[in-house]
Amino acid sequence: MANLDRRNFLKGAGVAASAAVLAGCGSTSGAASGSAAGSAAGSAAAAEPATSDAAKVTFEPGYLTVATGDPAWEPWVKNDDPESGEGFEAAVIYALADKLEFPKDTVKWVRTTFDEAYAPGDKDWDLNIQQVSITEERKQAVDFSPAYYRPTQSVIAKKDSDFASAKTIADLQDAVFAVMTGTTAYDFVKNIVFGGDDSKIELYNNNSDAVAALDAKQVDVLVTDTPQCVYMVQSEQVTDGVVVGQIPGTEDPDGLGIVLPLGSELTPYVTDAMNALLDDGTIDGLVQEWLKDYVEVPELTA
């Protein structure tokens, strides 16, 4: 979970205005998170609280408070609107809530940054879902649900880039890579693409900043999970972009997990509920519904 060094901090600051236009909002601030939380609390206040056993141990008893990113990208959340239940991760949460016997109107949504999801300390939410990979290091600070998806990582370039037609990892050796800080994408690029060297990796606070840097041609390529890469190109979040290919060997071995506060009393309930959704095919069905069009990407040759 490396912090931005001075060079990358200045670079991130240099694309902040462009990122704000791209994403519709900038990086999550404390004020923004509080505003989102207040709005969510207000909208759910009229709902009758849930009465299941799980509902007795939530941050606000009777309600399930769920955090996601700001913005939340497709195909994980459609139209940055998790309350709709549309998009893979939004749908997973409502399936899980139903299994835990939380009616839909007792689910509240708030926003956090990616690194706030797994940072140590007290939380004002029950669950956090925003493509957080399960790692041993993170499990020292937070709890995780069983994995609900195992993505790969892919590369985006501009169509007019020298790297747009890359077919092998060797073809990318001269590229400067943009990745989001704190993600497993950094580890995969450092170790698989560059053999342990990170001198050509630029870190950004969020993928909106990384996209802005790519559009400004301050970096050559961007790496993030494959479904998000496909969406970024299809939706023209990256202007004149192309998905170059999947990086071989990047399927997440431990998968993405829903984050809970460390030692949460809700963890055993979520574990049982997620295992039930995995066993009965619900999660596989949601993968087919929301992600099948976002994973057909050729693999680069090692």
Side-chain angles (χ1 to χ4, degrees), residues 90-110:
V92 166
I93 287 297
Y94 281 113
L96 183 69
D98 182 65
K99 189 67 72 173
L100 293 168
E101 300 181 36
F102 285 91
K104 186 173 182 178
D105 61 1
T106 64
V107 178
K108 303 180 181 184
W109 289 91
V110 297

Side-chain angles (χ1 to χ4, degrees), residues 108-172:
K108 303 180 181 184
W109 289 91
V110 297
R111 306 296 184 123
T112 73
T113 61
F114 182 80
D115 56 351
E116 285 173 338
Y118 56 84
D122 294 337
K123 313 297 184 187
D124 57 1
W125 39 262
D126 300 301
L127 311 175
N128 199 312
I129 187 167
Q130 48 180 312
Q131 309 102 65
V132 181
S133 294
I134 301 168
T135 68
E136 289 303 316
E137 182 178 0
R138 290 172 182 170
K139 285 195 288 187
Q140 305 306 305
V142 294
D143 289 349
F144 283 98
S145 73
Y148 59 89
Y149 188 62
R150 288 177 170 81
T152 61
Q153 302 290 310
S154 285
V155 179
I156 298 176
K158 305 286 282 186
K159 288 180 180 178
D160 61 357
S161 166
D162 293 339
F163 303 101
S165 60
K167 302 298 182 185
T168 71
I169 293 298
D171 293 338
L172 296 170

Side-chain angles (χ1 to χ4, degrees), residues 67-288:
T68 192
D70 188 9
W73 291 72
E74 297 189 30
W76 309 105
V77 175
K78 190 171 182 179
N79 298 321
D80 194 23
D81 180 18
E83 290 87 352
S84 70
E86 296 187 322
F88 178 62
E89 289 188 334
V92 166
I93 287 297
Y94 281 113
L96 183 69
D98 182 65
K99 189 67 72 173
L100 293 168
E101 300 181 36
F102 285 91
K104 186 173 182 178
D105 61 1
T106 64
V107 178
K108 303 180 181 184
W109 289 91
V110 297
R111 306 296 184 123
T112 73
T113 61
F114 182 80
D115 56 351
E116 285 173 338
Y118 56 84
D122 294 337
K123 313 297 184 187
D124 57 1
W125 39 262
D126 300 301
L127 311 175
N128 199 312
I129 187 167
Q130 48 180 312
Q131 309 102 65
V132 181
S133 294
I134 301 168
T135 68
E136 289 303 316
E137 182 178 0
R138 290 172 182 170
K139 285 195 288 187
Q140 305 306 305
V142 294
D143 289 349
F144 283 98
S145 73
Y148 59 89
Y149 188 62
R150 288 177 170 81
T152 61
Q153 302 290 310
S154 285
V155 179
I156 298 176
K158 305 286 282 186
K159 288 180 180 178
D160 61 357
S161 166
D162 293 339
F163 303 101
S165 60
K167 302 298 182 185
T168 71
I169 293 298
D171 293 338
L172 296 170
Q173 290 302 299
D174 292 330
V176 176
F177 282 70
V179 300
M180 191 168 80
T181 187
T183 63
T184 53
Y186 167 81
D187 297 315
F188 284 131
V189 173
K190 175 183 175 181
N191 295 318
I192 294 176
V193 178
F194 292 121
D197 180 20
D198 68 353
S199 62
K200 293 182 180 178
I201 301 174
E202 300 288 350
L203 298 175
Y204 294 89
N205 287 326
N206 53 58
N207 274 327
S208 296
D209 288 348
V211 167
L214 181 62
D215 275 339
K217 298 189 177 181
Q218 295 175 333
V219 296
D220 298 307
V221 298
L222 180 155
V223 173
T224 189
D225 60 78
T226 297
Q228 190 163 329
C229 279
V230 174
Y231 174 74
M232 285 176 172
V233 169
Q234 288 183 349
S235 65
E236 298 185 343
Q237 296 287 333
V238 175
T239 306
D240 296 325
V242 61
V243 182
V244 178
Q246 296 185 60
I247 301 174
T250 58
E251 181 173 297
D252 196 329
D254 295 309
L256 307 180
I258 298 172
V259 181
L260 300 92
L262 186 65
S264 170
E265 293 182 75
L266 189 62
T267 300
Y269 295 100
V270 169
T271 298
D272 290 345
M274 181 59 75
N275 281 330
L277 295 173
L278 291 164
D279 290 343
D280 68 15
T282 297
I283 298 299
D284 284 342
L286 294 176
V287 169
Q288 287 300 307

